[in-house]
């Protein structure tokens, strides 16, 4: 929601994607209304990589042109460790966290044609360089997506710019209490946990940074 709101304020039309048929949350909806944004919510299950091309086509059919920017933010965050990891947990995470982002990028660049240079921004995780040992299938899939940034930037060349944002602990789960969050914040070099707004700022920068490709920006308070 923070990323979408930041892009709306910057003047982007928005193709929002959810696997559920629902409107954006109230805070985002207020920004979209205030900005008089051109937006539409699309319902696609991105855990099925075969939906990548139909989603791209649906966005083009509605807005009348290929997107200038693709933000791959949808993800699965499972809780398996090395003992619980299985072919099923690996496949589920890699399908949503790696295969679909790559195929969405491919379909976008094909649709944009040789005269456009769309920006692609993957949301990864600071743990790609600082793995914790838990949430193993998730971590491995995000490491693979992070590794793809340089490869796909090289493969696409001038046809597209490919970058990533690696957040730290931005939105904690219900398992965290205030004391834990304060303790973790004190462990950060910046003495604070990162904010959703900081992640959105990095996405907008990479969307506009026409001389930048193959880069990963860590928005993590220095955790990595």
């Amino acid at each position: 929601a923070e990323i979408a709101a930041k892009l709306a304020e910057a003047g982007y039309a928005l193709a929002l994607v959810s696997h559920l048929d629902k409107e954006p949350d109230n805070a985002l909806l207020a920004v979209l209304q205030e900005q008089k944004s051109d937006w539409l919510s699309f319902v696609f299950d991105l855990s099925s990589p075969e939906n990548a091309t139909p989603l791209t086509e649906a966005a083009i059919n509605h807005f009348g042109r290929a997107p200038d920017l693709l933000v791959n933010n949808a993800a699965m965050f499972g809780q398996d460790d090395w003992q619980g990891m299985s072919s099923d947990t690996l496949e589920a995470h890699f399908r949503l966290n790696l295969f679909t982002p790559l195929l969405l990028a491919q379909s976008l660049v094909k649709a944009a044609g040789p005269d456009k240079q769309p920006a692609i921004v993957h949301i990864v995780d600071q743990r790609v360089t600082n793995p914790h040992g838990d949430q193993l299938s998730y971590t491995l899939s995000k490491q693979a997506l992070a590794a793809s940034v340089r490869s796909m930037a090289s493969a696409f060349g001038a046809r597209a710019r490919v970058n990533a944002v690696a957040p730290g602990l931005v939105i904690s789960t219900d398992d965290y209490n205030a004391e834990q969050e304060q303790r973790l914040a004190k462990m950060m070099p910046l003495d604070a946990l990162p904010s959703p707004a900081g992640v959105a700022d990095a996405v907008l920068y990479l969307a506009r940074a026409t001389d930048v490709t193959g880069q990963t920006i860590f928005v993590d308070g220095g955790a990595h």
Side-chain angles (χ1 to χ4, degrees):
E2 288 279 355
I3 293 170
K6 178 70 68 173
L7 295 173
E9 291 168 349
Y12 280 83
L14 296 176
L16 304 174
V17 186
S18 172
H19 67 287
L20 300 174
D21 186 9
K22 63 179 183 179
E23 284 195 328
D25 63 33
N26 291 335
L28 174 55
L29 199 55
V31 173
L32 296 174
Q33 292 169 346
E34 179 184 352
Q35 298 296 321
K36 297 181 173 58
S37 300
D38 181 11
W39 69 277
L40 185 67
S41 183
F42 295 84
V43 180
F44 279 88
D45 181 2
L46 297 182
S47 66
S48 297
E50 55 268 24
N51 280 330
T53 296
L55 170 56
T56 303
E57 292 173 347
I60 292 172
N61 289 338
H62 176 77
F63 291 99
R65 59 186 178 86
D68 304 303
L69 169 66
L70 167 65
V71 181
N72 280 309
N73 185 54
M76 180 181 183
F77 186 71
Q79 300 298 312
D80 61 328
D81 57 14
W82 68 268
Q83 293 170 307
M85 184 181 68
S86 67
S87 59
D88 289 338
T89 65
L90 287 168
E91 182 176 359
H93 283 82
F94 273 73
R95 284 171 67 86
L96 177 55
N97 298 356
L98 177 68
F99 298 167
T100 295
L102 292 178
L103 293 173
L104 278 169
Q106 178 195 51
S107 64
L108 169 58
V109 175
K110 285 182 176 179
D115 298 326
K116 300 290 184 180
Q117 190 183 74
I120 297 159
V121 180
H122 300 308
I123 306 300
V124 291
D125 195 305
Q126 67 86 18
R127 68 175 63 202
V128 299
T129 60
N130 184 33
H132 303 167
D134 55 2
Q135 291 96 28
L136 190 54
S137 293
Y138 165 82
T139 300
L140 290 168
S141 66
K142 286 294 189 178
Q143 287 175 321
L145 183 60
S148 78
V149 170
R150 285 166 54 85
S151 295
M152 296 308 297
S154 177
F156 286 142
R159 291 287 299 271
R161 295 186 301 104
V162 184
N163 295 289
V165 175
L169 180 58
V170 176
I171 302 173
S172 60
T173 66
D174 294 336
D175 299 322
Y176 290 80
N177 57 41
E179 182 180 342
Q180 286 175 301
E181 290 191 357
Q182 291 172 1
R183 178 177 61 82
L184 290 169
K186 292 297 182 183
M187 294 170 63
M188 300 300 107
L190 292 182
D191 202 30
L193 294 174
S195 68
V199 175
D201 286 339
V203 171
L204 181 59
Y205 164 73
L206 291 172
R208 293 170 163 175
T210 55
D211 295 326
V212 178
T213 194
Q215 298 292 322
T216 298
I217 296 179
F218 287 80
V219 183
D220 63 352
H224 72 289

